[in-house]
Amino acid sequence: MKRQGSQTVMFSQPVGILATASVVGKKEGEGPIGKMFDMVETDPFFGTKSWEKAESKFATTAVDICAKKSCMPMDSFDYIIAGDLLNQSTGSIYGLRNTNRPYLGIFGACSAMGEGMSIASMLIDGGFANNIIVAASSHFCSAEKQFRFPLEFGSQRTPTSSWTVTGAAAVALTTSQSDVVITAATTGKMVDMQIKDANNMGAAMAPAAADTIVAHLKDTNRSPKYYDAIITGDLGYIGSQLLLQTTAKMGYDISAIHKDCGIEIFDKNTQNTYAGGSGCACSGVTFSAYFYEQLRIGKLSKILFVPTGALMSPTSIQQGESIPSIAHAVAIERCAA
Amino acid sequence: MKRQGSQTVMFSQPVGILATASVVGKKEGEGPIGKMFDMVETDPFFGTKSWEKAESKFATTAVDICAKKSCMPMDSFDYIIAGDLLNQSTGSIYGLRNTNRPYLGIFGACSAMGEGMSIASMLIDGGFANNIIVAASSHFCSAEKQFRFPLEFGSQRTPTSSWTVTGAAAVALTTSQSDVVITAATTGKMVDMQIKDANNMGAAMAPAAADTIVAHLKDTNRSPKYYDAIITGDLGYIGSQLLLQTTAKMGYDISAIHKDCGIEIFDKNTQNTYAGGSGCACSGVTFSAYFYEQLRIGKLSKILFVPTGALMSPTSIQQGESIPSIAHAVAIERCAA
């Protein structure tokens, strides 16, 4: 039986990561890990006529680069699994409609990369696929327009607000041998602690992240020390503090090894991103460019990657609803040489 | 190897259908299969203050009924997989946030039930789950408001337009023995034939349905005669005609056995639904209440169930984009006694 505990599956054959790809916007390219991305596109329209079309082009480009870095033609991929934040997932759908591959659309808000890597790993380990590309995208301008205010309005941002990352990430998974492998996946439950402030998504998502991380540690009977790093998606500064407090109360001190992609991707002092980065691309590109590389070169050997998602819509917020959240954890390890 | 051909997986142990549930609105209850639904709710608000909250309550109710009909407590389900049409999938998310189960959100527009049943079957056959509930919902009023015009505007409908089904369906899948089982799944590719009329989704989706059905028949080396019925999701009258023409041109005559849930659910002559029913719930509730029952009692013994999805958003249509579409096929068979 591959299932372990209530939410975790362990893979009998670790699922290999064949390649990752990251394509980002100008601001992300100027950040602390800016030099590590595969491509920085400085035009927010990416040569198209709208931010939505630009987001789609980020997704197209990331998937194309990922296939190239995998040294495989697109038709070697048995599935593409992708998601984003736009209404009816138009970022992924219009970006990937010409791939001509069996397509599974997902929605987990900014947890998309975690959900996609989990499903892909199960499909590969279950014998249903040899190779799968997982992709996730977001765009600051399309997200502001859809979730907040028109950019032209120049609204003042709250200190708890985060900055949606512009870009897309793609990760190619495989049955073949690989330096870096996925060994387990813990699928999150929705957690709703009645946070209603859509400008404080870190606070809404922290309890979901804590719930999934603790479930993973309990299911696998591991201490946090098993991992070199536990890396959340886009909790940012405020959500990360809440996460550490919450996990500590639940009996797990992860403070020494916790990292957050929303904190890593921007410079707090010079980039005015307040609570940090967010968006489906935030965890996607930070993992693809930075943490995957650290695993590949041996600076990290075991990580728990935990993309986080705030599952509200503008309509649900306008109707007075709170923000259900979710986090999906994927254990990723470097194979001993 | 469980994979067969380029898009199809066959299950080594057929995945059992434990129970199905269907909850619909007043109009659906008055239709030709109205007496077969588990519950008909005549209040379009379902006792809530908005159509979106009502849609969520349809999803909650369908999943609860499905668990009850399965004779299993909710925590026996290893995953819930669900999707809908609303922005950021709020129908499923707010409806299922209190289930306390590992949750995988999907987006395939009205193909949600097909995508969900395919993923769930792979997770079960792969050994990652014993029991999974798949759910899909839609609501005429929330869909009109989001995709078309305010209801109060009283806009005239085009003859090619379809009527979004109000309701939700849930299907419980299991490793255990069952009368009715899923034997194969063919995951669709996105197909975009440059149809731009969002009031003619049948025409947009027909090529995707043809593509998936023919891929399934080729992958499995089966003739259409293998099945008693090939049942599309919501092509309606216009899309169904196009499907039959398209598959015939591709060398497969399926006219004798083709059915469409969008045609079955409403009465063409008395219910003014023009092209037929549509929405994630359309294929979901029609399968759950009608076709599943026909399999159970032996009136059908082998069907190919092919939910269809039109993957546009109001924004993409406003920006002049065409409508990419997708269809996911699931082979469902009655076990010989």
Side-chain angles (χ1 to χ4, degrees), chain B residues 322-337:
Chain B
S322 51
I323 305 173
S325 296
I326 200 161
H328 299 295
V330 186
I332 308 174
E333 308 192 15
R334 181 164 202 266
C335 287

Side-chain angles (χ1 to χ4, degrees), chain B residues 264-286:
Chain B
E264 301 296 324
I265 195 167
F266 293 123
D267 185 284
K268 187 185 171 72
N269 298 317
T270 62
Q271 293 196 292
N272 285 323
T273 46
Y274 299 158
S278 62
C280 299
C282 180
S283 58
V285 301
T286 305

Side-chain angles (χ1 to χ4, degrees), chain B residues 143-188:
Chain B
E144 286 295 308
K145 171 183 164 185
Q146 181 179 284
F147 286 103
R148 296 174 193 98
F149 295 100
L151 281 189
E152 298 83 348
F153 177 64
S155 81
Q156 199 165 359
R157 303 173 69 77
T158 70
T160 56
S161 68
S162 54
W163 189 279
T164 305
V165 166
T166 298
V171 176
L173 302 181
T174 180
T175 44
S176 309
Q177 275 297 101
S178 184
D179 293 350
V180 179
V181 297
I182 297 176
T183 55
T186 301
T187 300

Side-chain angles (χ1 to χ4, degrees), chain B:
Chain B
M1 188 59 195
K2 293 155 182 177
R3 200 164 175 87
Q4 187 152 344
S6 63
Q7 291 174 245
T8 303
V9 293
M10 311 289 287
F11 301 115
S12 44
Q13 296 288 338
V15 175
I17 298 181
L18 200 54
T20 64
S22 54
V23 185
V24 298
K26 183 167 174 281
K27 190 179 185 88
E28 291 72 20
E30 293 165 352
I33 57 171
K35 299 253 175 294
M36 307 188 73
F37 297 116
D38 290 305
M39 180 178 158
V40 177
E41 170 58 49
T42 55
D43 172 12
F45 286 102
F46 209 151
T48 71
K49 288 187 173 175
S50 76
W51 295 319
E52 291 80 11
K53 288 177 199 266
E55 182 173 333
S56 290
K57 198 164 169 187
F58 275 103
T60 314
T61 310
V63 167
D64 284 348
I65 293 176
C66 189
K68 279 198 194 92
K69 286 174 78 175
S70 303
C71 301
M72 299 223 286
M74 193 60 82
D75 63 9
S76 318
F77 292 97
D78 302 308
Y79 298 94
I80 293 181
I81 301 178
D84 63 274
L85 288 168
L86 293 181
N87 298 342
Q88 290 74 55
S89 298
T90 47
S92 314
I93 282 167
Y94 284 88
L96 306 176
R97 64 178 151 173
N98 294 324
T99 51
N100 198 34
R101 304 313 307 144
Y103 182 82
L104 296 168
I106 55 174
F107 181 75
C110 308
S111 73
M113 185 51 83
E115 179 180 346
M117 286 170 78
S118 299
I119 295 175
S121 299
M122 290 192 263
L123 266 47
I124 287 174
D125 193 48
F128 303 107
N130 289 316
N131 307 295
I132 297 179
I133 288 183
V134 181
S137 60
S138 55
H139 192 304
F140 175 77
C141 302
S142 63
E144 286 295 308
K145 171 183 164 185
Q146 181 179 284
F147 286 103
R148 296 174 193 98
F149 295 100
L151 281 189
E152 298 83 348
F153 177 64
S155 81
Q156 199 165 359
R157 303 173 69 77
T158 70
T160 56
S161 68
S162 54
W163 189 279
T164 305
V165 166
T166 298
V171 176
L173 302 181
T174 180
T175 44
S176 309
Q177 275 297 101
S178 184
D179 293 350
V180 179
V181 297
I182 297 176
T183 55
T186 301
T187 300
K189 300 171 176 180
M190 286 191 269
V191 175
D192 188 337
M193 298 297 276
Q194 297 298 308
I195 302 284
K196 296 192 174 188
D197 179 0
N199 287 309
N200 192 354
M201 294 190 296
M205 294 187 291
D211 193 73
T212 299
I213 291 167
V214 170
H216 176 84
L217 296 172
K218 283 187 178 168
D219 284 352
T220 57
N221 203 20
R222 287 176 183 166
S223 113
K225 284 183 193 143
Y226 180 85
Y227 293 104
D228 301 321
I230 293 179
I231 301 159
T232 47
D234 52 358
L235 297 183
Y237 292 96
I238 296 155
S240 291
Q241 273 196 318
L242 292 169
L243 170 70
L244 298 184
Q245 289 168 12
T246 310
T247 48
K249 272 187 199 161
M250 295 165 89
Y252 292 87
D253 179 1
I254 63 166
S255 57
I257 52 165
H258 174 254
K259 302 264 180 196
D260 183 72
C261 298
I263 291 176
E264 301 296 324
I265 195 167
F266 293 123
D267 185 284
K268 187 185 171 72
N269 298 317
T270 62
Q271 293 196 292
N272 285 323
T273 46
Y274 299 158
S278 62
C280 299
C282 180
S283 58
V285 301
T286 305
F287 170 73
S288 293
Y290 179 60
F291 289 112
Y292 172 67
E293 190 60 19
Q294 293 221 314
L295 285 161
R296 231 182 42 77
I297 63 176
K299 284 205 178 171
L300 289 171
S301 68
K302 290 188 176 77
I303 69 168
L304 189 67
F305 178 46
V306 194
T308 36
L311 303 167
M312 80 292 185
S313 81
T315 306
S316 70
I317 295 296
Q318 283 161 9
Q319 293 183 359
E321 279 290 359
S322 51
I323 305 173
S325 296
I326 200 161
H328 299 295
V330 186
I332 308 174
E333 308 192 15
R334 181 164 202 266
C335 287

Side-chain angles (χ1 to χ4, degrees), chain A residues 31-243:
Chain A
I33 57 170
K35 298 253 176 295
M36 306 186 74
F37 297 115
D38 290 306
M39 180 178 159
V40 177
E41 170 58 49
T42 54
D43 172 12
F45 286 101
F46 208 151
T48 71
K49 289 187 174 175
S50 76
W51 295 320
E52 291 81 10
K53 289 176 199 266
E55 181 173 333
S56 289
K57 197 164 169 186
F58 275 103
T60 313
T61 311
V63 167
D64 284 348
I65 293 176
C66 189
K68 279 197 195 93
K69 286 174 79 175
S70 302
C71 301
M72 298 222 288
M74 193 60 81
D75 64 10
S76 317
F77 292 96
D78 302 307
Y79 298 93
I80 293 181
I81 301 178
D84 62 275
L85 288 167
L86 293 182
N87 298 343
Q88 290 76 55
S89 298
T90 48
S92 313
I93 282 169
Y94 284 88
L96 306 175
R97 65 178 149 172
N98 294 324
T99 51
N100 198 32
R101 304 312 309 142
Y103 182 81
L104 296 168
I106 55 173
F107 181 76
C110 308
S111 72
M113 186 50 85
E115 180 180 345
M117 287 169 77
S118 300
I119 294 175
S121 300
M122 290 192 263
L123 266 46
I124 287 173
D125 193 47
F128 303 106
N130 289 316
N131 307 295
I132 297 179
I133 287 183
V134 181
S137 59
S138 55
H139 193 303
F140 175 77
C141 301
S142 64
E144 287 294 307
K145 170 182 163 185
Q146 180 178 283
F147 286 103
R148 297 174 192 98
F149 295 101
L151 281 189
E152 298 82 347
F153 178 63
S155 81
Q156 200 164 359
R157 302 173 68 77
T158 71
T160 55
S161 69
S162 54
W163 189 280
T164 306
V165 166
T166 298
V171 176
L173 302 181
T174 180
T175 44
S176 309
Q177 274 297 103
S178 184
D179 294 349
V180 180
V181 297
I182 298 177
T183 55
T186 301
T187 300
K189 299 172 177 180
M190 286 191 268
V191 176
D192 188 338
M193 298 299 275
Q194 296 297 309
I195 302 284
K196 296 191 174 188
D197 181 359
N199 287 310
N200 193 354
M201 294 190 295
M205 295 188 288
D211 193 74
T212 298
I213 292 166
V214 170
H216 176 84
L217 296 172
K218 284 187 178 166
D219 283 351
T220 57
N221 204 19
R222 288 174 181 166
S223 112
K225 283 183 194 144
Y226 179 85
Y227 293 103
D228 301 321
I230 293 180
I231 302 159
T232 47
D234 53 357
L235 298 182
Y237 292 96
I238 295 155
S240 291
Q241 274 195 319
L242 291 169
L243 170 70

